[in-house]
Amino acid sequence: MNELERLAASKARRAIMLDKAGSKAEAIKAYREVIGLLVKLVELSDSPVNREVYRERIAAYTRRLRELQEDGEARATQEEPEVKEKSNALPAVLDSRPPVRWDDVVGLESVKESLRQSIIYPSKRPDLYPLGWPTGILLFGPPGCGKTLMVAATANEADAKLHVIDAAKIMSKWLGESEKNLQRVFSTARSEAMSGKPVIVFIDEVDWLTVHRQVEVGGEARVRNQLLSEMDGILTKFNRSFLFLMAATNKPWLLDEPFIRRFQKRIYIPPPGLEERRRILEHYLSKLRTSRDLDLNRLAEEMEGYSPHDIFSVCLDAQLEAVKKMFEEGLEEPPEITMADIRRAMGRRRPSISRESVRMFEEWNARFGAP
Ligand SMILES: Nc1ncnc2c1ncn2[C@@H]1O[C@H](COP(=O)(O)OP(=O)(O)OP(=O)(O)O)[C@@H](O)[C@H]1O
Ligand SMILES: [Mg+2]
């Protein structure tokens, strides 16, 4: 097992070396081998944390492999292509705020309250905080439950400038520009924060920075160290800066303890309960033409395990079907969406949150949560 892991790590180092040296065909071959070994490791390992790490590595190497296969020429200068399977993530570094407010985030009232206390009040009346305020906030919880959405909404509510760093993309940008880009983001953010207006630097999918050492290779360590030292500058203790560092992860157990402790606030974004699921359904379905037979309570019950993002996708699917029907059958407008339509859409979208994963989040929250 350890043997296999060491082999995977050394093969990975070799693949990256070949990649850096521009030996495309050999690098492709080497990446394939590494992926094969990692797949075996996933099968053999009985630690969920390690399995998660291997999967991450597989995803990263597969992405790189695809890039190499897709184009040869402009590789070195090219930007990382959009990560397609993560359609709900924000771009790698983004300076403008998506136009969402707290009302667009259904439920999570206590989280909003906590963010109001940490960011909005201090930036309005810093004079009332002689002891300072928290500047590092970590949001964690299962995928699709509103972490990224919440940060965008907070930035708008606080009228804060938002810089988004997608850690997954930064780490998979492979070499070179990543450190400089990071440095640039933080130095811009620092000078902006001097003006007295809040600035939020948001590191999405922050677990990518602290992935398991043994299978970590190449230029990633440099990028990570750069980021950690930038973070250290912000997250020392309660201070009086208008520069806030927010981070989000759906795999908090991959973070190491010194890293975790740097965030003064560690807030759990839980999956929605029955009432929240009903409200999320209402939030999205109220924009569509729906039939009178629609029983949201009933649907919310049937949607146990569905994340808000799953629920949104079901509603979206129902909408697409209705419009398709309109065009295909030459109707004047899309037909009303019925219970049967929603259930059909549910059949195509399985719930993404398991009880077992919720238990893992709750345990982590009990140990490290600091709302
Ligand atoms: N509380 C919510 N209320 C309404 N819609 C929500 C809520 N949470 C998530 N959504 C919907 O799901 C989409 C995805 O949510 P978001 O990207 O914030 O999830 P996340 O927690 O960051 O997930 P991940 O861990 O995968 O990054 C949102 O763009 C929104 O459409
Ligand atoms: Mg997210």
Side-chain angles (χ1 to χ4, degrees):
M1 183 70 209
N2 273 341
E3 194 82 353
L4 193 59
E5 193 174 52
R6 262 196 299 278
L7 185 65
S10 93
K11 293 258 179 206
R13 264 192 300 276
R14 188 162 160 267
I16 287 176
M17 214 181 65
L18 290 166
D19 189 1
K20 267 204 230 176
S23 323
K24 205 174 128 193
E26 282 189 82
I28 289 178
K29 204 167 139 239
Y31 278 125
R32 283 220 187 93
E33 273 181 64
V34 183
I35 293 166
L37 289 171
L38 287 167
V39 168
K40 248 188 229 127
L41 278 165
V42 172
E43 288 165 10
L44 293 176
S45 165
D46 37 38
S47 144
V49 173
N50 283 347
R51 277 202 302 273
E52 200 53 67
V53 171
Y54 302 139
R55 282 204 197 93
E56 305 271 22
R57 294 289 86 198
I58 292 170
Y61 296 139
T62 308
R63 254 196 316 266
R64 182 60 192 147
L65 183 62
R66 239 182 269 140
E67 280 173 28
L68 283 172
Q69 285 168 332
E70 275 163 16
D71 79 319
E73 314 86 61
R75 180 178 66 76
T77 49
Q78 220 184 29
E79 283 293 284
E80 166 85 351
E82 277 302 291
V83 180
K84 300 214 176 57
E85 60 274 37
K86 286 289 299 181
S87 57
N88 56 338
L90 297 166
V93 175
L94 167 140
D95 293 340
S96 66
R97 302 177 308 212
V100 287
R101 315 282 313 191
W102 273 340
D103 283 346
D104 298 301
V105 188
V106 178
L108 301 174
E109 300 309 329
S110 66
V111 177
K112 291 175 194 168
E113 184 52 43
S114 176
L115 292 170
R116 212 175 280 133
Q117 271 194 29
S118 316
I119 299 181
I120 299 192
Y121 298 156
S123 45
K124 283 210 166 91
R125 288 292 304 274
D127 55 308
L128 301 180
Y129 294 83
L131 305 180
W133 53 82
T135 51
I137 300 158
L138 175 70
L139 305 181
F140 63 93
C145 293
K147 297 181 293 297
T148 303
L149 187 68
M150 181 66 93
V151 174
T154 305
N156 281 315
E157 297 289 346
D159 194 19
K161 179 102 191 180
L162 177 65
H163 297 277
V164 179
I165 298 171
D166 186 320
K169 291 186 191 169
I170 286 277
M171 295 310 263
S172 63
K173 268 192 168 228
W174 301 90
L175 333 170
E177 289 303 289
S178 301
E179 294 144 273
K180 277 212 199 90
N181 286 340
L182 279 180
Q183 232 169 353
R184 188 178 50 81
V185 171
F186 277 94
S187 99
T188 312
R190 266 193 303 274
S191 59
E192 284 166 351
M194 306 262 237
S195 74
K197 220 179 152 179
V199 179
I200 298 173
V201 173
F202 173 43
I203 307 181
D204 209 357
E205 309 201 42
V206 69
D207 48 275
W208 278 81
L209 301 179
T210 54
V211 224
H212 205 277
R213 304 246 146 68
Q214 296 210 39
V215 240
E216 162 236 314
V217 273
E220 300 171 346
R222 290 201 318 259
V223 180
R224 195 198 22 236
N225 291 342
Q226 175 72 36
L227 195 45
L228 288 178
S229 81
E230 297 284 3
M231 286 172 59
D232 267 347
I234 304 178
L235 302 181
T236 39
K237 45 187 161 315
F238 282 66
N239 65 26
R240 303 178 45 77
S241 158
F242 292 108
L243 176 51
F244 296 89
L245 185 72
M246 297 187 76
T249 176
N250 56 30
K251 302 177 194 78
W253 38 84
L254 293 184
L255 306 179
D256 45 31
E257 215 166 312
F259 186 83
I260 297 164
R261 299 274 172 226
R262 287 187 168 97
F263 292 93
Q264 301 98 349
K265 293 226 164 224
R266 303 181 286 271
I267 303 175
Y268 182 32
I269 309 275
L274 181 64
E275 172 58 13
E276 283 84 24
R277 292 199 297 275
R278 193 193 60 73
R279 283 178 56 201
I280 294 165
L281 276 167
E282 195 174 20
H283 180 76
Y284 290 114
L285 288 176
S286 65
K287 300 183 172 108
L288 304 176
R289 256 166 59 84
T290 51
S291 82
R292 282 171 164 270
D293 81 332
L294 221 57
D295 181 346
L296 296 186
N297 285 318
R298 191 66 186 279
L299 288 173
E301 272 169 28
E302 292 170 19
M303 285 185 152
E304 168 142 33
Y306 281 70
S307 70
H309 184 239
D310 295 333
I311 299 175
F312 168 71
S313 303
V314 165
C315 298
L316 183 72
D317 192 358
Q319 171 206 263
L320 295 178
E321 284 296 313
V323 176
K324 180 174 149 224
K325 210 164 183 179
M326 180 191 89
F327 279 109
E328 284 181 357
E329 298 178 10
L331 308 173
E332 292 279 304
E333 51 185 335
E336 289 177 345
I337 291 169
T338 64
M339 284 295 267
D341 294 329
I342 301 279
R343 288 197 176 118
R344 250 195 313 277
M346 283 170 64
R348 287 190 289 268
R349 174 115 201 165
R350 303 314 308 154
S352 60
I353 304 176
S354 68
R355 279 189 194 187
E356 138 112 314
S357 76
V358 174
R359 213 176 31 245
M360 278 166 80
F361 283 108
E362 284 172 352
E363 273 170 24
W364 200 88
N365 187 31
R367 268 188 80 190
F368 297 107

